[in-house]
């Protein structure tokens, strides 16, 4: 890793009006990250800790301290100037990114979307993946793997409303890719779903995967599938029984995605209802239907019980049903 | 006609440098940058230093350190494996079938090609001489396509005559190309089977990227048969979709109309199998592919397969169609990676272990081709 040299800097009080808040060269932080104590502290003491700025043309770019400047500028606080370290205009963007990383990782772990924004920017700057791994990954606590560069770069393509949900649910890196490539309507449906039902990551993943698979199979956008299955029904607030709504929604999706499996399982279940078995007997089968046959399980304590149970299980009615259950395989 | 595969960089292992086969590459690609790797240097390290992305257009020409003959990796306790031996003169494929396990595991890796052909044949000789009672089948198409690189490697010119002299082994060259030009005029002694994987044209177009279209494969099979080679066909993976039965029937019509049944050593049937990891990867790597969109359930070996009744439907259709269209002529058919229960449903007698299937294979081959005795 090349050592980072912080350039000779100047300290100044810089007017907020001279700072370009729209410039996003170093805007890697999650916009949803809240810090209420910051607001209180700025109200009480103004901005104490200097921000880091870089002069670009007649304005200043924010390298570090974006949230402090935003808070000072937007919360109706009467602050005109902030303390700032100024770095020279010629300081390379790539070095400034490393500086941003080292500053931000000291007090918290960077989220996956934050790391992704950094990697994307570096790739845009034509930094080779091998250098990203060598010079930037240690600052993001990442394993040295070029495959991760590509995976991380893809994360920011996840639509914004979902990105926040996934980051807050601690979604592992490899699963972000499932949420890329959704059309606008699907994103709005998923947003309603996450806000209304707050599904687990696994359930959300399943819903998205199946929607996308169905959409590819039927050559229509995922939102059309969602609409045809009336998946949005029940998502209007207030939702009384979120787990029930979620499971009915998932059942509808599963029925469309696995029609043959669902049909066969249902048939098995219906047929097995006709079995006349000793009480306490459990009937089950492999839910994937890969393992042929059915399991009939009962608890026997005496030879008499065994005889009675065997007679009952082997009745003509049961025999017929079991034959039907097996013939369907 | 398929175009030749792209080559962007050649890495040459120092230990292979003097081998005459290296000339095939340097002569064919004089303008492609070539880097010699010193002893102990790995291709990954070197590519990194060169800033060359390690994909399959980068070819690593090396010398075998042994262990290139293996038992087919499909062998597990739950499924009846056909006992094939694999021989891997190259690793990675210039084509890109969506369902191929190489796509998920090797997509970003370079292609490895073994340059020391006599060392490979020596490995084969040792395996077959240890069991003179067996009829071995060796296939070079497990970690690659057997013929896709052949116009350059000319490996077939070495391996086919070698097998012609082995009393208890057959070579299978398994391909989805039409690149049989090097096979013409070789002395094969009837001991090389050239096999093609077949699928309906719509599947080839959508899922088998870069592979030869069906008519080209069948024309190549016809030409191989007229050059005296035995042929074989793999309907593997059989892909299920609405209308697939009639599409596969049409492929069989074309097959039996083009290739003489007398040349067909076997036909294998195997429905789609993918790992859960591939199921995640395929839509990302191949956005147009539809193989993951059908109902797939997890089998005993952890791989995803069609529901048992759907698999049975496909097998039953294919078996009756093969029997009908081959007009009762003797064609040995086997199932790839199916359990004993499925075998039993369609075959009598049905093998229950890999050894039994191996024996069935041998009997069927010797009956149809007495020249193999
Ligand atoms: S031709 Fe064979 S080896 Fe090549 S990608 Fe297709 S399935 Fe894989």
């Amino acid at each position: 890793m090349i050592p980072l040299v912080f350039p000779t800097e100047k300290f100044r009080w810089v007017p907020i009006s001279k700072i370009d808040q729209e410039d996003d060269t170093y805007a890697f932080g999650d916009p949803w990250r809240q810090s209420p104590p910051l607001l209180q502290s700025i109200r009480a003491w103004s901005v104490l800790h200097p921000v880091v700025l870089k002069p670009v043309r007649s304005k200043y770019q924010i390298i570090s301290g974006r949230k402090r400047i935003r808070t000072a500028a937007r919360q109706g606080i009467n602050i005109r100037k902030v303390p700032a370290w100024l770095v020279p205009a010629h300081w390379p963007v790539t070095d400034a990114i490393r500086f941003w990383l080292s500053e931000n990782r000291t007090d918290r772990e960077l989220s996956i979307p934050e790391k992704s924004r950094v990697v994307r920017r570096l790739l845009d700057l034509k930094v080779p993946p091998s250098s990203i791994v060598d010079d930037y990954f240690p600052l993001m606590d990442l394993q040295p793997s070029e495959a991760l560069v590509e995976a991380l770069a893809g994360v920011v393509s996840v639509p914004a409303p979902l990105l926040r949900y996934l980051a807050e649910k601690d979604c592992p890196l490899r699963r972000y890719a499932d949420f890329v490539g959704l059309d606008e309507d699907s994103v709005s449906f998923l947003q309603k779903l996450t806000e209304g039902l707050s599904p687990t990551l696994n359930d959300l993943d399943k819903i998205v995967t199946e929607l996308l698979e169905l959409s590819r199979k039927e050559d229509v956008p995922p939102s059309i599938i969602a609409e045809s299955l009336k998946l949005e029904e029940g998502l209007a607030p207030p939702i009384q029984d979120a787990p029930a709504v979620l499971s009915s929604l998932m059942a509808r999706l599963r029925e469309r995605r696995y029609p043959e499996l669902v049909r066969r399982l249902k048939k098995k279940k219906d047929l097995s209802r006709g079995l006349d078995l000793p009480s306490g007997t459990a009937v089950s089968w492999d839910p994937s239907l890969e393992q042929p046959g059915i399991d009939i399980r009962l608890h026997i304590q005496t030879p008499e019980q065994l005889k009675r149970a065997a007679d009952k299980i082997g009745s003509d009615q049961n025999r017929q049903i079991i034959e039907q259950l097996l013939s369907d395989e | 006609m398929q175009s030749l595969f792209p080559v962007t960089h050649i890495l040459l292992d120092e230990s292979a440098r003097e081998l005459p086969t290296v000339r095939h590459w340097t002569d064919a690609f004089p303008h492609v940058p070539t880097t010699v790797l010193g002893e102990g240097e790995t291709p990954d390290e070197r590519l990194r230093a060169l800033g060359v992305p390690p994909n399959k257009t980068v070819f690593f020409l090396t010398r075998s350190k042994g262990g290139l003959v293996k038992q087919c990796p499909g062998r597990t306790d739950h499924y009846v494996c056909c006992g094939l031996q694999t021989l891997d003169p190259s690793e990675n494929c210039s084509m890109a079938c969506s369902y191929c396990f190489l796509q998920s595991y090797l997509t970003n890796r370079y292609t490895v090609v073994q340059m020391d052909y006599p060392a490979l044949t020596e490995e084969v000789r040792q395996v077959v001489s240890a069991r003179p009672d067996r009829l071995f089948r060796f296939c070079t198409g497990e970690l690659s396509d057997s013929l896709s690189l052949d116009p350059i490697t000319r490996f077939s010119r070495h391996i086919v005559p070698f097998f012609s002299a082995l009393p208890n082994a057959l070579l299978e060259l398994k391909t989805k190309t039409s690149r049989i030009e090097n096979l013409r005029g070789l002395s094969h002694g009837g001991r090389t089977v050239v096999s093609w994987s077949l699928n309906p044209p719509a599947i080839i177009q959508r899922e088998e990227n870069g592979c030869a279209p069906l008519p080209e494969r069948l024309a190549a099979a016809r030409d191989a048969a007229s050059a005296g080679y035995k042929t074989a066909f793999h309907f593997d993976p059989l892909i299920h979709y609405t209308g697939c039965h009639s599409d596969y029937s049409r492929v069989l019509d074309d097959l039996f109309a083009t290739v003489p049944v007398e040349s067909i050593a076997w036909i294998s049937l195997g429905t789609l199998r993918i790992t859960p990891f591939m199921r995640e990867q395929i839509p990302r790597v191949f956005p147009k592919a539809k193989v993951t969109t059908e109902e797939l359930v997890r089998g005993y070996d952890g791989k995803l397969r069609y529901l048992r009744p759907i698999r049975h439907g496909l097998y039953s259709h294919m078996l009756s169609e093969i029997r009908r269209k081959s007009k009762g002529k003797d064609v040995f058919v086997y199932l790839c990676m199916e359990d004993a229960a499925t075998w039993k449903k369609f075959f009598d007698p049905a093998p229950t272990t890999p050894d039994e299937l191996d024996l069935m294979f041998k009997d069927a081959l010797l009956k149809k081709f007495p020249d193999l005795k």
Side-chain angles (χ1 to χ4, degrees):
Chain A
M1 191 161 115
I2 315 158
L4 176 71
V5 182
F6 194 71
T8 328
E9 70 280 15
K10 286 186 218 146
F11 180 80
R12 289 268 170 81
W13 282 86
V14 175
I16 290 183
S17 59
K18 296 281 277 175
I19 300 173
D20 184 355
Q21 291 185 54
E22 298 311 312
D23 177 275
D24 63 357
T25 312
Y26 308 98
F28 304 122
D30 288 328
W32 55 81
R33 198 177 283 280
Q34 298 294 335
S35 36
L38 181 66
L39 176 61
Q40 284 155 18
S41 145
I42 290 177
R43 262 189 219 281
W45 307 103
S46 179
V47 175
L48 290 177
H49 183 54
V51 299
V52 179
L53 303 176
K54 181 172 160 180
V56 173
R57 287 176 292 277
S58 57
K59 286 236 171 187
Y60 290 97
Q61 269 183 337
I62 309 166
I63 295 180
S64 150
R66 181 170 302 271
K67 206 150 275 163
R68 276 167 279 159
I69 293 167
R70 282 245 161 99
T71 312
R74 289 200 186 153
Q75 304 290 340
I77 305 169
N78 195 16
I79 295 173
R80 300 239 165 77
K81 289 184 174 179
V82 289
W85 292 113
L86 300 187
V87 298
H90 59 75
W91 201 34
V93 182
T94 45
D95 280 1
I97 292 176
R98 287 174 65 207
F99 170 77
W100 185 92
L101 285 171
S102 28
E103 256 237 330
N104 281 278
R105 73 193 277 256
T106 48
D107 55 342
R108 65 188 175 89
E109 200 190 325
L110 297 175
S111 72
I112 290 179
E114 287 174 324
K115 292 174 187 173
S116 167
R117 288 181 205 109
V118 170
V119 168
R120 237 326 151 74
R121 176 63 37 85
L122 291 168
L123 289 172
D124 290 348
L125 290 167
K126 304 268 177 295
V127 178
S130 55
S131 313
I132 296 180
V133 170
D134 290 345
D135 300 332
Y136 298 84
F137 271 23
L139 298 170
M140 295 191 267
D141 302 308
L142 291 167
Q143 298 297 323
S145 149
E146 282 187 32
L148 280 186
V149 173
E150 205 185 317
L152 273 167
V155 167
V156 278
S157 311
V158 173
L162 291 176
L163 199 58
R164 176 176 182 170
Y165 189 80
L166 298 177
E168 287 175 351
K169 291 259 176 201
D170 276 333
C171 178
L173 174 58
R174 64 177 188 85
R175 285 167 70 175
Y176 276 87
D178 295 343
F179 301 86
V180 176
L182 291 158
D183 62 350
E184 235 172 75
D185 289 345
S186 312
V187 173
S188 110
F189 156 66
L190 290 171
Q191 197 177 352
K192 278 185 215 152
L193 179 87
T194 50
E195 282 164 7
L197 304 181
S198 190
T200 62
L201 213 48
N202 267 343
D203 286 347
L204 184 64
D205 204 8
K206 250 185 231 156
I207 292 170
V208 172
T209 308
E210 303 306 15
L211 270 181
L212 287 176
E213 292 287 21
L214 279 167
S215 128
R216 283 170 344 109
K217 180 172 182 177
E218 298 177 19
D219 283 324
V220 293
S223 52
I224 301 281
I225 308 279
E227 202 182 304
S228 70
L229 284 170
K230 302 199 179 356
L231 295 187
E232 284 203 42
E233 246 175 43
L235 288 184
I239 296 168
Q240 306 295 346
D241 185 356
V245 176
L246 184 64
S247 75
S248 110
L249 182 153
M250 290 184 74
R252 265 174 284 161
L253 201 50
R254 184 177 149 82
E255 220 164 290
R256 173 80 157 262
R257 179 75 178 89
Y258 298 95
E260 196 56 29
L261 180 65
V262 171
R263 186 183 71 73
R264 284 174 184 271
L265 288 174
K266 186 171 177 304
K267 194 170 163 198
K268 261 200 191 316
K269 200 168 170 186
D270 290 347
L271 271 172
S272 70
R273 279 208 191 100
L275 289 169
D276 179 21
L277 299 169
S279 66
T281 308
V283 181
S284 63
W285 45 81
D286 172 10
S288 71
L289 299 182
E290 185 59 11
Q291 170 90 56
I294 54 168
D295 289 337
I296 298 181
R297 196 169 299 169
L298 76 165
H299 184 70
I300 301 286
Q301 280 181 319
T302 64
E304 292 72 39
Q305 274 180 342
L306 172 65
K307 184 170 178 329
R308 275 203 304 277
D311 288 347
K312 196 158 193 186
I313 291 174
S315 72
D316 284 349
Q317 178 191 334
N318 285 346
R319 207 181 292 255
Q320 268 179 19
I321 294 175
I322 290 174
E323 264 167 27
Q324 278 186 61
L325 278 167
L326 298 180
S327 71
D328 199 35
E329 289 169 348
Chain B
M1 186 73 183
Q2 278 173 286
S3 57
L4 259 193
F5 49 90
V7 179
T8 57
H9 204 104
I10 293 175
L11 293 173
L12 180 54
D13 195 343
E14 174 68 50
S15 68
R17 204 174 178 173
E18 299 306 323
L19 294 170
T21 45
V22 170
R23 292 267 320 264
H24 301 332
W25 290 82
T26 44
D27 289 354
F29 303 104
H31 303 301
V32 169
T34 301
T35 307
V36 179
L37 293 196
E39 216 192 307
E41 210 180 353
T42 68
D44 281 312
E45 281 166 8
R46 196 54 184 277
L47 288 173
R48 236 179 123 146
L50 291 167
V52 174
N55 59 43
K56 57 193 183 180
T57 64
V58 174
F59 284 78
F60 176 44
L61 312 184
T62 186
R63 181 177 210 147
S64 154
K65 292 173 184 64
L68 295 174
V69 171
K70 297 190 194 86
Q71 189 65 249
C72 170
R75 199 169 177 130
T76 68
D77 290 346
H78 296 292
Y79 298 102
V80 184
C81 163
C82 72
L84 184 74
Q85 306 282 319
T86 64
L87 170 66
D88 303 319
S90 53
E91 196 181 297
N92 219 336
C93 180
S94 56
M95 295 169 296
C97 302
S98 62
Y99 52 73
C100 174
F101 80 98
L102 295 177
Q103 296 312 313
S104 319
Y105 293 103
L106 304 176
T107 290
N108 290 320
R109 298 247 320 267
Y110 48 84
T111 304
V112 182
V113 189
Q114 302 296 340
M115 293 286 108
D116 189 356
Y117 299 172
L120 288 168
T121 44
E122 188 45 40
E123 261 196 66
V124 173
R125 192 190 305 281
Q126 283 178 13
V127 172
V128 299
S129 59
R131 285 281 309 271
D133 56 310
R134 261 192 78 176
L135 178 60
F136 284 91
R137 281 167 292 114
F138 285 84
C139 181
T140 56
E142 198 57 36
L143 293 183
S144 186
D145 181 282
S146 294
L147 294 178
S148 68
L149 305 182
D150 202 60
I152 304 300
T153 64
R154 298 175 227 172
F155 182 62
S156 60
R157 293 198 190 173
H158 182 85
I159 193 87
V160 170
F162 167 79
F163 267 82
S164 74
L166 291 181
N168 61 332
L170 278 180
L171 169 69
E172 178 181 2
L173 298 173
K174 186 172 167 187
T175 188
K176 284 191 186 120
T177 73
S178 50
R179 293 183 186 143
I180 55 162
E181 49 276 28
N182 283 331
L183 300 181
R184 294 198 180 100
L186 295 182
S187 111
H188 53 70
R191 292 196 167 265
T192 292
V193 180
V194 195
S195 70
W196 278 267
S197 301
L198 303 180
N199 253 316
I203 296 292
I204 292 179
Q205 212 196 346
R206 199 179 60 224
E207 313 286 346
E208 297 180 352
N209 305 291
C211 301
L214 180 66
E216 278 186 23
R217 294 186 208 179
L218 292 177
R222 180 199 53 213
D223 293 351
S226 53
Y229 287 96
K230 295 178 175 54
T231 61
F233 298 91
H234 298 278
F235 287 90
D236 189 357
L238 283 163
I239 309 271
H240 181 260
Y241 54 92
T242 314
C244 63
H245 285 198
S246 49
D247 284 358
Y248 278 110
S249 292
R250 271 193 285 277
V251 178
L252 285 169
D253 281 336
D254 292 348
L255 165 61
F256 289 114
T258 317
V259 183
V261 181
E262 293 69 28
S263 76
I264 302 178
W266 61 76
I267 292 179
S268 82
L269 304 176
T271 53
L272 180 78
R273 308 169 288 284
I274 54 173
T275 62
F277 176 72
M278 288 167 71
R279 188 185 179 291
E280 276 183 27
Q281 291 298 307
I282 291 170
R284 286 173 204 161
V285 184
F286 302 99
K288 285 202 201 101
K290 288 196 178 182
V291 283
T292 55
T293 64
E294 287 291 313
E295 293 181 67
L296 297 165
V297 293
R298 201 179 269 247
Y300 304 120
D301 55 359
K303 288 190 188 147
L304 302 171
R305 292 170 153 75
Y306 297 131
L307 292 181
R308 182 180 286 274
I310 288 178
R311 302 205 305 266
H312 287 185
L314 273 164
Y315 292 142
S316 150
H317 176 75
M318 292 302 282
L319 284 165
S320 67
E321 287 288 87
I322 290 170
R323 277 180 205 128
R324 199 164 63 81
K325 293 180 196 293
S326 62
K327 305 204 172 67
K329 287 189 189 151
D330 200 11
V331 178
F332 181 66
V333 183
Y334 71 93
L335 304 179
C336 188
M337 296 304 291
E338 272 301 349
D339 58 11
T342 302
W343 269 96
K344 207 162 159 218
K345 196 169 170 93
F346 298 107
F347 292 85
D348 185 20
T352 55
T353 63
D355 289 342
E356 281 176 26
L357 178 53
D358 194 42
L359 204 63
M360 262 175 75
F361 227 120
K362 180 179 171 182
D363 290 347
L365 285 171
L366 294 182
K367 186 168 157 230
K368 180 159 181 174
F369 304 105
D371 60 312
L372 290 177
K373 277 186 186 137

